[in-house]
Amino acid sequence: NLTVSDPLRHVDSMSLIPYGAGKIDHLNAVVLGEALASEDNDLVVPSEEFSRQALVPSIEKYLEMYRRSVEDPAGFWSEIASEFYWKKKWGEQVVTENLDVKKGTVKIEWFKSGVTNICYNSLDRNIEAGNGDKIALYWEGNDLGQDGALTYTELLAKVCQLSNYLKDVGVAKGDAVIIYLPMLMELPIAMLACARIGAVHSVVFAGFSADSLAQRIIDCKPKAVITCNAVRRGPKVINLKDIVDAALIQSSNEGISVGVCLTYENELVMKREATKWKTGRDIWWQDTVPKYPKTCEVEWVDAEDPLFLLYTSGSTGKPKGVLHTTGGYMIYTATTFKYAFDYKPSDIYWCTADCGWITGHSYVTYGPLLNGASVVVFEGAPNHPDSGRCWDIVDKYKVTIFYTAPTLVRSLMRDGNEFVTRYSRKSLRVLGSVGEPINPSAWRWFYNVVGDSGCPISDTWWQTETGGFMITPLPGTWPQKPGSATLPFFGIQPAVVDEKGIEIEGECSGYLCVKKSWPGAFRTLYGDHERYETTYFKTFSGFYFSGDGCSRDKDGYYWLTGRVDDVINVSGHRIGTAEVESALVSHPQCAEAAVVGVEHEVKGQGIYAFVTLVEGVPYSEELRKSLILMVRKQIGAFAAPDKIHWAPGLPKTRSGKIMRRILRKIASRQLDELGDTSTLADPGVVDQLIALSDS
Ligand code: WTA
């Protein structure tokens, strides 16, 4: 008797096999063993022992909680929210929402009028509960032997000193602060320090170029920028402060001047003497921040006050400032972290993401710390000094939960099992994946080799916009299928719709939408609510549209198939084709550019750029390099095209629209699937393009 609010209502016959059907010896035992995890059988069943100790030990328990979460969202989330500290309880109306543009402005509010602080809940609350001496952050540097750790009490002291400093230089509630730091402990410290005083942080991934950083500074007009002098990535040294200097010059040319640039001296990499300095604006962190008191009063904020801005790529135009608020985000990241990783206080948790992306916000910083977890922060590259580094770290810190991206799994898989099996890894009990669909062969390698066939994999589907996990396995709760994110999290009502926006029931494929709001949802795009509505709520009216395609199988499991818009997912990083195109055409010798994604063995997708040149300019190796350099300069090295395909012309319709469908086929060499080319203004260009494919 499944009801409408049932995630399994699409299931014709419950083909999910009962739990613990295999023979179990101990927690890490192989359940039904490799046989189940092999290509022929797509169900991987958790061990009875794992399920027994899991927070949600059975699918029946999940269904009971899930039903409650969608039938009484206010009650479900209020109960959880009550476990956190609120200076003042939220109002009568727990949630106010309108996702339907036809009914007026899109609006989402959770716990409105509740007064709280996420830094207080992450640190002070855990210390008051007696966990002050527990390690909050372990830090592992780029090179072997560089490490550190901070207890909750020590972390709070560092956060408070920085909060006091920021207040002293005039940063107040509601002011933006840009953070451009590598994965030093100072990065989560800076985020928490902003949150403590009600400032809005905007972390910019330290791989973005000066141009990109400037663009973000101009958009959010920060009171201060926090950075460090230099960072080492593998064998390379990168001077971050030079990049910030360049960005600050650019933004001041646009009339935005930032008064303070707080710079952490990363002396393991570079001494301060080597850093260019602007007296008055630039301040060394180490000279100033430690002088401030180790306690700092909390700025109590409304649940709907902004917590942070994070810029992300869309299919058109400039990056969007995704805005998250405090209360709902806090409750949602804490809850998703707890359940999707089956978190227990004894766990040691490591997420390889950088805080420059949403994963580092929700699942390096806030989600784990709100749960009082011990978190490993890793600054380096996962293949430095060699491909065994991750497992060296796992053994060193006795990591129990390891959360990473398919691109890393694939690259380590390619390097061979030897690097993995050399290490014990016996502390591991839960694995996680995020950023793009994980292909079944990478899933199986992760499961069988890394996890010794004993650790469930939480393949978490979510987005910068969603704040936290949306579709994810709960470890030990139900069987997994390699490559499927499985079932929705509590409170999430996914809908698969067709091109007309009609919801499809049962086994199907289509566009992945969400029907109702959830506490972690973003509230707007900074300074552009109209774009928020147009991009996410107008395509399929009444729904939040994710931009992803998916299918749902006979068991009700979701299978994400990737973006359906012009966003490319390279190594789990979202890159808008329009941004890369705009960088290419800003090259004086480039006339036109069209960028598409192609399958890439390790990165998931690679960037394939078609370019036409200004009349009379010959294509050369030198020009190819300088086009790529243009993208590195304007966006960052991670967005550099893998392939530049020079062409005399691009396939266009008679109205001048570039036919990307054809370009995608040419890029992926699916030449027999070009489809109808008769509507092209000049069908001849297709043959020319194909002929030039290999040049
Ligand atoms: C993709 C990262 C399949 C998806 C958290 C989404 C995934 C985009 C998964 C968001 C997954 C993320 N399976 N696809 N487990 N996780 N994606 O905003 O296309 O950087 O729309 O957030 O990554 O990327 P974003």
Side-chain angles (χ1 to χ4, degrees):
N1 50 344
L2 301 170
T3 64
V4 194
S5 60
D6 206 309
L8 296 183
R9 72 180 186 282
H10 306 284
V11 177
D12 296 333
S13 58
M14 283 283 286
S15 64
L16 300 180
I17 59 175
Y19 298 92
K23 191 169 165 298
I24 296 102
D25 298 325
H26 61 91
L27 187 67
N28 278 341
V30 177
V31 184
L32 303 188
E34 304 251 340
L36 251 186
S38 79
E39 306 280 337
D40 329 328
N41 196 327
D42 65 354
L43 276 186
V44 179
V45 182
S47 75
E48 207 169 80
E49 190 148 358
F50 193 104
S51 298
R52 210 178 302 125
Q53 62 80 58
L55 290 175
V56 185
S58 67
I59 200 155
E60 291 74 24
K61 179 69 189 161
Y62 159 74
L63 286 174
E64 180 193 320
M65 291 173 73
Y66 182 83
R67 281 190 195 117
R68 164 106 206 278
S69 75
V70 295
E71 283 164 10
D72 175 21
F76 180 88
W77 291 111
S78 292
E79 235 163 65
I80 293 175
S82 307
E83 292 164 26
F84 292 83
Y85 181 79
W86 297 80
K87 185 83 181 160
K88 180 175 154 260
K89 204 183 165 211
W90 51 92
E92 208 66 350
Q93 189 76 18
V94 178
V95 48
T96 311
E97 71 175 49
N98 172 42
L99 305 190
D100 191 346
V101 277
K102 291 201 207 99
K103 293 188 186 142
T105 307
V106 174
K107 182 174 173 175
I108 299 172
E109 283 179 351
W110 283 82
F111 308 112
K112 179 82 184 153
S113 307
V115 176
T116 188
N117 183 289
I118 196 170
C119 174
Y120 183 89
N121 273 294
S122 302
L123 304 180
D124 312 54
R125 189 179 56 96
N126 286 315
I127 294 167
E128 276 153 34
N131 289 321
D133 294 334
K134 185 173 175 179
I135 299 292
L137 301 178
Y138 286 105
W139 177 75
E140 173 77 9
N142 180 67
D143 294 327
L144 292 173
Q146 298 176 337
D147 53 22
L150 290 176
T151 63
Y152 271 85
T153 304
E154 290 164 344
L155 176 58
L156 176 61
K158 295 222 178 249
V159 166
C160 285
Q161 288 179 320
L162 183 58
S163 295
N164 284 321
Y165 166 79
L166 290 172
K167 282 206 289 195
D168 205 25
V169 296
V171 177
K173 184 181 168 195
D175 288 341
V177 173
I178 287 233
I179 304 172
Y180 186 73
L181 279 171
M183 286 296 275
L184 303 172
M185 285 195 278
E186 282 64 28
L187 176 42
I189 288 171
M191 294 163 72
L192 290 159
C194 290
R196 191 168 191 85
I197 61 171
V200 182
H201 58 72
S202 183
V203 183
V204 178
F205 172 59
F208 274 109
S209 66
D211 290 12
S212 285
L213 179 58
Q215 193 177 34
R216 285 153 177 78
I217 292 171
I218 292 162
D219 195 65
C220 76
K221 307 174 187 61
K223 272 271 170 67
V225 173
I226 304 179
T227 188
C228 78
N229 54 346
V231 61
R232 190 174 281 134
R233 268 250 123 185
K236 270 189 294 193
V237 171
I238 301 155
N239 189 327
L240 288 187
K241 175 67 165 48
D242 275 357
I243 298 173
V244 174
D245 287 348
L248 289 172
I249 290 171
Q250 278 190 39
S251 43
S252 87
N253 290 343
E254 301 286 325
I256 307 296
S257 71
V258 180
V260 180
C261 176
L262 182 68
T263 307
Y264 184 83
E265 181 188 12
N266 201 355
E267 55 174 6
L268 287 174
V269 179
M270 200 165 96
K271 296 283 175 229
R272 60 171 71 186
E273 292 69 38
T275 306
K276 291 196 204 86
W277 210 244
K278 185 169 171 188
T279 314
R281 181 196 71 188
D282 299 349
I283 306 285
W284 286 112
W285 178 312
Q286 282 95 328
D287 289 355
T288 328
V289 178
K291 292 187 187 141
Y292 282 82
K294 291 182 177 166
T295 56
C296 171
E297 264 192 42
V298 167
E299 179 78 40
W300 299 104
V301 300
D302 191 281
E304 284 301 335
D305 279 338
L307 172 63
F308 68 85
L309 270 179
L310 184 59
Y311 288 87
T312 190
S313 292
S315 46
T316 53
K318 61 177 180 125
K320 310 176 278 199
V322 167
L323 184 108
H324 282 283
T325 57
T326 305
Y329 176 84
M330 173 170 90
I331 301 310
Y332 199 68
T333 52
T335 312
T336 45
F337 173 79
K338 175 173 156 184
Y339 287 108
F341 293 131
D342 187 45
Y343 172 73
K344 308 285 160 50
S346 56
D347 279 314
I348 307 286
Y349 168 81
W350 179 25
C351 165
T352 61
D354 191 291
C355 287
W357 311 104
I358 190 68
T359 308
H361 283 64
S362 302
Y363 302 108
V364 172
T365 309
Y366 294 115
L369 295 178
L370 285 162
N371 280 280
S374 296
V375 183
V376 177
V377 173
F378 176 44
E379 185 207 358
N383 53 4
H384 175 78
D386 67 33
S387 299
R389 185 69 186 276
C390 288
W391 325 118
D392 181 48
I393 296 173
V394 164
D395 283 356
K396 177 170 173 183
Y397 298 97
K398 306 270 179 300
V399 171
T400 58
I401 306 171
F402 176 68
Y403 185 37
T404 192
T407 181
L408 180 64
V409 175
R410 285 189 298 263
S411 99
L412 296 179
M413 179 167 115
R414 198 185 50 177
D415 295 342
N417 297 3
E418 218 289 291
F419 285 109
V420 187
T421 52
R422 192 190 285 170
Y423 297 92
S424 146
R425 294 157 288 114
K426 73 173 186 301
S427 54
L428 288 174
R429 60 179 209 94
V430 176
L431 302 174
S433 170
V434 61
E436 51 166 315
I438 177 162
N439 45 308
S441 63
W443 195 102
R444 288 193 180 89
W445 183 82
F446 200 25
Y447 184 79
N448 288 326
V449 179
V450 173
D452 281 335
S453 311
C455 308
I457 299 178
S458 288
D459 174 6
T460 59
W461 176 76
W462 62 296
Q463 310 178 291
T464 304
E465 292 86 342
T466 70
F469 305 149
M470 301 295 278
I471 300 181
T472 176
L474 301 185
T477 311
W478 55 71
Q480 295 193 258
K481 298 183 188 185
S484 168
T486 76
L487 299 170
F489 192 74
F490 304 127
I492 302 305
Q493 299 189 48
V496 182
V497 308
D498 65 15
E499 313 75 72
K500 296 197 194 80
I502 311 286
E503 186 176 359
I504 326 170
E505 295 284 327
E507 208 180 327
C508 61
S509 326
Y511 302 101
L512 181 57
C513 295
V514 185
K515 275 195 258 193
K516 297 287 255 175
S517 85
W518 60 99
F522 67 141
R523 307 302 200 240
T524 192
L525 292 179
Y526 180 66
D528 202 347
H529 200 70
E530 201 180 313
R531 188 173 175 199
Y532 171 75
E533 295 184 332
T534 313
T535 313
Y536 301 99
F537 299 93
K538 276 197 182 147
T539 321
F540 302 117
S541 91
F543 298 104
Y544 163 74
F545 174 44
S546 66
D548 279 335
C550 85
S551 60
R552 186 169 48 217
D553 70 15
K554 62 181 183 355
D555 294 321
Y557 280 32
Y558 289 83
W559 298 77
L560 276 298
T561 52
R563 305 286 308 192
V564 294
D565 53 8
D566 288 321
V567 171
I568 314 183
N569 193 326
V570 181
S571 300
H573 300 157
R574 263 165 80 163
I575 296 168
T577 51
E579 282 171 66
V580 181
E581 287 163 5
S582 124
L584 288 168
V585 297
S586 69
H587 190 288
Q589 293 176 317
C590 180
E592 281 178 310
V595 167
V596 297
V598 281
E599 220 174 281
H600 187 284
E601 199 193 333
V602 171
K603 298 197 263 187
Q605 281 191 299
I607 302 179
Y608 195 113
F610 293 89
V611 295
T612 65
L613 303 177
V614 168
E615 199 57 49
V617 172
Y619 186 62
S620 64
E621 175 59 16
E622 202 182 322
L623 180 55
R624 186 186 72 85
K625 284 191 184 144
S626 92
L627 285 167
I628 291 177
L629 199 66
M630 206 67 191
V631 181
R632 296 173 79 100
K633 181 180 167 298
Q634 289 197 12
I635 306 175
F638 64 94
D642 297 276
K643 167 91 184 166
I644 300 275
H645 184 149
W646 166 72
L650 296 175
K652 288 182 191 160
T653 59
R654 284 186 199 99
S655 59
K657 203 169 158 284
I658 295 176
M659 304 256 311
R660 283 163 197 283
R661 172 177 62 79
I662 293 174
L663 293 177
R664 274 189 211 107
K665 296 290 177 198
I666 295 175
S668 56
R669 306 296 290 162
Q670 293 166 300
L671 302 180
D672 46 353
E673 294 171 30
L674 291 178
D676 183 12
T677 54
S678 63
T679 53
L680 290 175
D682 174 10
V685 296
V686 173
D687 294 331
Q688 276 177 331
L689 272 171
I690 295 171
L692 287 162
S693 279
D694 300 311
S695 59

